[in-house]
Amino acid sequence: MRYRTRVTAPAAALLGTAAVLVAAPAASARPLALRPDEGTPGAETLGDSVFPALGNDGYRVQAYHLDLSYDATTRLVDATATLMIRATQDISRFSLDALGLDVRAVQVGGVAAAFEQVDEKLRVTPARTLPDSCAVAVCVEYGVDPAKALAHTAWVPTPDGFAICPQPNSAHTVFPCNDHPLDKADFSFRITVPNALRGVANGRLVGTEKLDGDRTAYTYRSGSPMATELVQITVGDYVVKERQGPNGLGLRDVVPTARAAALEPALALSPGLIGWLEQRLGAYPFETYGLLPCNSDDANAFDFTGLETQTLTLYKPNFLLQEEKKIGSHMMHELVHSWFGNSVSPANWADLWLNEGHADFYGLLYRYERGWADSLGMTTMEARMKDTYAKGDQWRRSSGPVAAPNAVNLFDDQRYLGGVLVLYALRELVGEDVFNSIERTFLARYRNSSATTADYIAVVSEISGQDRSGFLNDWLYGTSTPRMPNHPDWTVTPVVSSLVAPHHRAPGHYPDSTATL
């Protein structure tokens, strides 16, 4: 039996807000709905250099409300996605990213709209052209099979439900969206499940409703804008464990009920990790944090150890059963993403090094501060960076410059350890105090938005009081490794074709390239 859910308060709030937003641009007396032959279709791309087909233009999304109902018998999901969009041009047709979704109906402003699914796009033609700056609710009804075989997917089926891992380009296999971190939006969720299961999503739980048929609806709302790739929706036999973090921060972990006791030592590490990082990067940027050990031991369920989703980090449960020195550095890596990657998202996927370089940088600092040897047996940042520096030209040959990836090598070591090497070189150049000021300024300036590598370089130049663009462009885009400040004795190993290159991963896969494992 399939269960349909009714429109809930968050969705109604989105729809009610539409009238206010539509009326807001009062500078023009133009009608709010133009003739069908006016305007032009929005572009079906946001021009990303790594994923050029990803994202859509002609509008921006202001908010999403996702209403999902899970049937434990069929293991299918019935859903409605309500998007509040604002046109950025006179738009006669617009598209959403969508793959593997069985779309049944689309409404724009409460009126049925024509639609078609072509490749990974859902093309929507409203009854009337939408004028520039108008805001309107777009409602998409659809069904989806989490186990459906696709070219790439965010779904992780588990014995008792599912979780999702959207990064980098697979959120649109879960819900229709403008699937690019450049277009961040507010999110709310309603997840309806059998009473024996629990539905969880990003943000805070704001409502629980008992329904007929022994089902419960859980409603969540994110307190900050979010990129689509950071969405988490999970269903399973979970218990939610709450604890106190530093400075009054409330933490919540979503844990398989049968493993709650065994996982407690790992969960208890979060307050200390957050406190250490707040001393360096400032206050934690969101309303809560926690871990989600996904209820699956299947080695093929997902090909990573941990994945940052906003306010909730997805993990393989068995990884977290290890002793602290085996997991603490990687837990720090994922936590750093709350600042670099989540609060400040990449404006282009070529900017990934900002996320992963910073996550490994602080993860390694945390490791070495505690005297834990890394995978190469090294116990200091200087030793690890000297080793990485020697590989610089080889990595640039096999994986491209640090800030110039493609879809095949996006998650290679070059974006992780190569990014750490860039940050290390910068700190050596400007000194630790200036470096720390650069980090905090960048995070404060671009909080809740997206930023480019050029934005980071501009902050570096501003805070250091000198134009550092040449220095950083050489490190980030050069085909040979620059000299390391303060280390004239460091040498780069000549390129030899037989040397092992960083592993290439297929698009849509998030590997364990991190050095913090």
Side-chain angles (χ1 to χ4, degrees):
M1 179 178 179
R2 301 288 288 277
Y3 294 87
R4 297 296 300 275
T5 58
R6 60 182 180 274
V7 175
T8 60
L14 281 175
L15 293 168
T17 305
V20 176
L21 293 173
V22 168
S28 172
R30 301 168 67 203
L32 293 180
L34 303 177
R35 296 192 313 272
D37 59 345
E38 293 184 274
T40 56
E44 295 187 349
T45 177
L46 282 173
D48 192 271
S49 63
V50 178
F51 298 109
L54 203 61
N56 308 274
D57 212 352
Y59 67 92
R60 290 293 182 268
V61 182
Q62 297 179 313
Y64 293 87
H65 176 67
L66 305 180
D67 192 338
L68 280 68
S69 180
Y70 176 68
D71 188 320
T73 301
T74 64
R75 299 180 64 83
L76 301 177
V77 174
D78 198 36
T80 300
T82 303
L83 295 70
M84 182 64 66
I85 70 170
R86 181 182 288 276
T88 58
Q89 65 179 68
D90 292 345
I91 186 169
S92 60
R93 188 187 77 196
F94 61 91
S95 59
L96 301 169
D97 295 305
L99 174 64
L101 308 181
D102 179 17
V103 178
R104 296 188 295 268
V106 179
Q107 290 187 345
V108 178
V111 178
F115 67 91
E116 62 175 338
Q117 292 181 261
V118 180
D119 296 325
E120 298 190 22
K121 299 295 181 180
L122 172 62
R123 292 175 180 163
V124 178
T125 304
R128 306 286 287 182
T129 292
L130 304 177
D132 185 12
S133 298
C134 90
V136 66
V138 178
C139 185
V140 182
E141 296 183 21
Y142 65 99
V144 60
D145 178 359
K148 186 175 183 178
L150 299 169
H152 58 95
T153 184
W155 295 98
V156 181
T158 64
D160 52 358
F162 62 82
I164 64 171
C165 50
Q167 192 184 87
N169 62 335
S170 294
H172 61 280
T173 65
V174 179
F175 60 101
C177 56
N178 203 19
D179 198 2
H180 195 281
L182 184 64
D183 193 10
K184 300 173 76 167
D186 294 328
F187 274 84
S188 61
F189 310 83
R190 187 175 191 258
I191 309 167
T192 302
V193 296
N195 287 341
L197 303 178
R198 188 164 190 132
V200 180
N202 313 81
R204 290 190 186 279
L205 178 66
V206 297
T208 302
E209 183 182 3
K210 294 295 183 179
L211 304 175
D212 294 339
D214 296 323
R215 293 171 69 77
T216 302
Y218 298 91
T219 300
Y220 295 83
R221 185 173 292 119
S222 178
S224 302
M226 186 160 54
T228 53
E229 54 112 355
L230 301 174
V231 168
Q232 182 56 254
I233 305 168
T234 186
V235 169
D237 181 11
Y238 291 115
V239 59
V240 176
K241 305 187 71 173
E242 298 183 350
R243 70 190 75 236
Q244 192 71 26
N247 302 313
L249 176 66
L251 306 180
R252 58 102 187 230
D253 298 304
V254 181
V255 192
T257 302
R259 306 183 190 217
L263 288 164
E264 179 58 28
L267 306 179
L269 297 175
S270 288
L273 294 167
I274 294 170
W276 185 90
L277 200 52
E278 284 190 329
Q279 293 177 4
R280 289 152 179 82
L281 299 180
Y284 177 77
F286 302 117
E287 64 271 26
T288 188
Y289 182 70
L291 305 185
L292 167 60
C294 181
N295 195 22
S296 176
D297 294 316
D298 183 355
N300 298 318
F302 43 92
D303 61 351
F304 52 82
T305 296
L307 176 70
E308 71 278 12
T309 56
Q310 195 157 303
T311 71
L312 200 60
T313 295
L314 182 68
Y315 265 108
K316 288 185 175 179
N318 284 341
F319 173 78
L320 294 175
L321 295 177
Q322 302 176 92
E323 59 183 325
E324 181 181 2
K325 68 180 183 180
K326 297 287 188 180
I327 63 176
S329 180
H330 191 269
M331 289 178 67
M332 179 61 73
H333 172 107
E334 299 301 343
L335 177 61
V336 171
H337 282 310
S338 294
W339 284 261
F340 289 96
N342 299 9
S343 179
V344 182
S345 299
N348 187 298
W349 277 108
D351 303 311
L352 181 74
W353 79 273
L354 283 168
N355 303 10
E356 304 303 345
H358 276 101
D360 259 13
F361 181 84
Y362 290 101
L364 287 172
L365 286 180
Y366 186 77
R367 173 187 289 278
Y368 299 137
E369 187 178 289
R370 275 146 188 76
W372 300 335
D374 61 29
S375 59
L376 301 181
M378 298 174 183
T379 56
T380 68
M381 180 70 90
E382 182 174 336
R384 187 59 185 266
M385 290 299 95
K386 183 177 182 180
D387 178 83
T388 303
Y389 183 81
K391 301 170 182 173
D393 282 4
Q394 180 68 32
W395 286 5
R396 288 170 189 268
R397 170 73 67 87
S398 61
S399 191
V402 175
N406 57 44
V408 174
N409 63 33
L410 179 61
F411 291 105
D412 282 1
D413 297 332
Q414 184 72 304
R415 259 47 74 188
Y416 291 73
L417 268 173
V420 178
L421 190 66
V422 174
L423 297 172
Y424 180 84
L426 175 61
R427 192 178 65 167
E428 290 293 292
L429 179 70
V430 302
E432 188 168 353
D433 289 344
V434 173
F435 178 81
N436 292 340
S437 181
I438 288 167
E439 299 284 87
R440 286 178 175 251
T441 300
F442 177 75
L443 290 169
R445 185 165 299 172
Y446 294 101
R447 181 174 181 172
N448 291 333
S449 62
S450 302
T452 65
T453 297
D455 292 327
Y456 185 77
I457 293 173
V459 170
V460 170
S461 297
E462 174 189 333
I463 301 303
S464 67
Q466 186 174 338
D467 184 0
R468 306 293 186 182
S469 58
F471 175 85
L472 284 171
N473 281 329
D474 286 345
W475 275 96
L476 291 165
Y477 300 105
T479 56
S480 60
T481 306
R483 292 187 177 184
M484 177 62 70
N486 302 328
H487 296 283
D489 58 316
W490 286 14
T491 58
V492 178
T493 303
V495 173
V496 178
S497 59
S498 62
L499 291 180
V500 177
H503 295 295
H504 292 333
R505 304 290 178 131
H509 288 243
Y510 187 97
D512 287 327
S513 296
T514 171
T516 57
L517 285 168

